[in-house]
Amino acid sequence: MNPSLRRKLEALAERREELERLLADPAVINDAAQFRRLSREFSQLEPVATALAAEQRAREDLDAAQAMRDDPEMRELADDEIDVATQRLAQLETELLSHLIPRDPRDDGDLYLEVRAGTGGDEAAIFAGDLFRMYSRYAERQGWRIEVESANPGEHGGFKEVIARVEGQGAYSRLKFESGTHRVQRVPATESQGRIHTSAATVAIIPVEADEAPIEISAADLRVDTFRSSGAGGQHVNKTDSAIRITHIPSGLVVESQTERSQHANRDKAMKRLRAMLAEAQAAKAAAAQAETRKLQVGSGDRSQRIRTYNFPQGRITDHRVEGLTLYDLPNVMEGGLDALLDRLQQEHQADELARLTSGG
């Protein structure tokens, strides 16, 4: 590890010690907001301190084993212990470096999930519905809350478009690599000749805007339209113009909300999603210079990139961004068993960031 990275780790360890003292200060304890913020920072730095302590023990074990080599009768045992300590130090160096990777402040937050039918007509809408069900099942497994904010059903099932809010600890960190075009190869239910068709749907994962940095929107930049809600909701939905459509004129972004009974509540939901979309557009612009070097294209805003193929006849799912990432577990994946895919994508992202960190990029 080069000296500058080592100094950064030592600075993190010193900051943790400072936080430990601050959290024992009565003035901090009596300030609930500050105590909560510092406690969160302390918990984030705890793994660094644990890894540094483990590294120190491994170095001591290595020194002891090397000293033991001077005794001819202990040399073979010493060599074994040197190998173990050396491997342990290499593992700990990788772990320590991972703590220097800049943390995305949005990772712990909630997200908007948008799934839209692409090429393929009715089959694309059915596939969009399958994808939404897959993510819904995964959210249920994680104990997250998922709420549909708007939906446009397909004529033969599924959705032409469905937008939902997903709330849960770490939701964005787990699903942020899902944005892009998802392709399906299968015999559609609407196909009478038994031929395999290729259809597509697009997925967008948009982080919910952080409370700390709200996006300011001028009322003059908005066009607000009302209309009657459609879908579930009883007789009420056809009686009042409670649904809201907001157009942000400078960007051309359009958001709708019709799930609440009141116009005010729908407007509030629509504005929250509009702010999130504008915040993501800002982040995408900031990341554009680096996006071409990043396989996973996080924050690039590129929804057209084909990221994954679901081949039903072979029970195969392939992620095209990572070489060799093919699973023959499609039925389980479609039931929400996404962890094997998501874990590999996060590992790939971490490896890319580590390579950039150690190369000084």
Side-chain angles (χ1 to χ4, degrees):
M1 187 185 303
N2 70 50
S4 66
L5 295 178
R6 174 64 62 180
R7 284 193 295 272
K8 290 179 181 179
L9 285 168
E10 291 169 351
L12 292 177
E14 290 168 4
R15 173 59 176 165
R16 177 192 169 276
E17 292 177 2
E18 179 187 11
L19 288 168
E20 192 169 25
R21 292 191 295 271
L22 286 171
L23 289 169
D25 185 334
V28 173
I29 293 172
N30 292 328
D31 185 336
Q34 186 182 22
F35 185 81
R36 186 165 55 250
R37 177 175 58 81
L38 295 180
S39 295
R40 185 163 56 244
E41 185 182 356
F42 180 84
S43 68
Q44 290 170 357
L45 293 178
E46 187 69 17
V48 179
T50 301
L52 283 171
E55 184 190 47
Q56 180 59 35
R57 289 193 298 272
R59 290 192 186 282
E60 292 169 357
D61 292 343
L62 180 60
D63 291 343
Q66 289 173 336
M68 196 165 58
R69 287 193 87 253
D70 294 337
D71 183 343
E73 294 183 359
M74 302 294 291
R75 186 165 296 168
E76 185 176 346
L77 176 61
D79 286 341
D80 289 341
E81 294 192 4
I82 287 172
D83 288 342
V84 171
T86 301
Q87 291 175 17
R88 178 64 174 148
L89 283 169
Q91 293 170 353
L92 287 166
E93 178 170 322
T94 300
E95 180 181 342
L96 285 165
L97 285 172
S98 72
H99 293 303
L100 293 177
I101 296 173
R103 189 173 183 277
D104 189 335
R106 306 172 297 178
D107 274 355
D108 289 336
D110 306 330
L111 61 95
Y112 291 105
L113 166 66
E114 302 182 352
V115 185
R116 294 179 175 86
T119 56
D122 291 333
E123 167 63 5
I126 293 170
F127 180 52
D130 292 341
L131 288 177
F132 181 71
R133 180 176 177 274
M134 176 184 78
Y135 291 121
S136 298
R137 288 290 179 92
Y138 183 72
E140 291 170 4
R141 292 186 181 198
Q142 304 306 306
W144 300 337
R145 179 173 176 266
I146 184 166
E147 178 185 4
V148 174
E149 295 212 341
S150 68
N152 183 4
E155 293 180 8
H156 293 86
F159 298 99
K160 294 177 182 177
E161 175 187 273
V162 58
I163 299 170
R165 178 166 172 147
V166 181
E167 298 177 348
Q169 181 68 27
Y172 180 70
S173 69
R174 291 300 285 168
L175 295 180
K176 63 183 178 181
F177 301 122
E178 293 300 292
S179 292
T181 297
H182 296 239
R183 186 177 67 169
V184 63
Q185 296 172 327
R186 65 183 177 188
V187 178
T190 55
E191 167 60 52
S192 60
Q193 303 298 319
R195 294 172 297 184
I196 295 175
H197 285 224
T198 298
S199 304
T202 60
V203 173
I205 302 294
I206 301 172
V208 171
E209 182 194 26
D211 293 335
E212 294 82 2
I215 295 290
E216 296 298 327
I217 302 175
S218 170
D221 290 337
L222 300 178
R223 184 174 72 245
V224 180
D225 300 306
T226 60
F227 58 99
R228 291 190 179 183
S229 301
S230 60
Q235 295 180 349
H236 166 83
V237 296
N238 293 318
K239 290 183 177 179
T240 62
D241 291 342
S242 60
I244 289 287
R245 180 185 298 111
I246 299 177
T247 303
H248 184 248
I249 298 168
S251 66
L253 291 173
V254 179
V255 293
E256 293 182 359
S257 180
Q258 57 176 307
T259 57
E260 300 298 324
R261 287 182 173 270
S262 78
Q263 200 176 100
H264 176 78
N266 279 322
R267 182 188 174 99
D268 183 57
K269 276 191 171 184
M271 285 299 296
K272 285 180 179 177
R273 187 148 58 87
L274 178 59
R275 286 194 179 93
M277 293 170 73
L278 289 171
E280 193 216 17
Q282 285 187 4
K285 186 176 180 181
Q290 298 177 346
E292 62 184 25
T293 66
R294 299 189 177 191
K295 287 185 240 178
L296 301 181
Q297 299 289 311
V298 180
S300 71
D302 183 4
R303 307 298 179 216
S304 64
Q305 182 195 21
R306 188 191 70 183
I307 65 168
R308 192 174 296 152
T309 295
Y310 304 71
N311 186 299
F312 276 75
Q314 298 178 18
R316 169 171 54 83
I317 182 168
T318 300
D319 196 291
H320 303 290
R321 297 165 293 178
V322 180
E323 185 177 356
L325 182 43
T326 295
L327 302 177
Y328 288 89
D329 193 25
L330 185 53
N332 179 49
V333 169
M334 298 308 295
E335 288 296 321
L338 285 167
D339 279 329
L341 276 172
L342 301 183
D343 288 346
R344 180 67 184 280
L345 291 170
Q346 289 192 327
Q347 290 164 8
E348 194 75 15
H349 173 66
Q350 186 177 66
D352 287 346
E353 293 299 307
L354 278 175
R356 188 171 293 106
L357 182 69
T358 55
S359 67

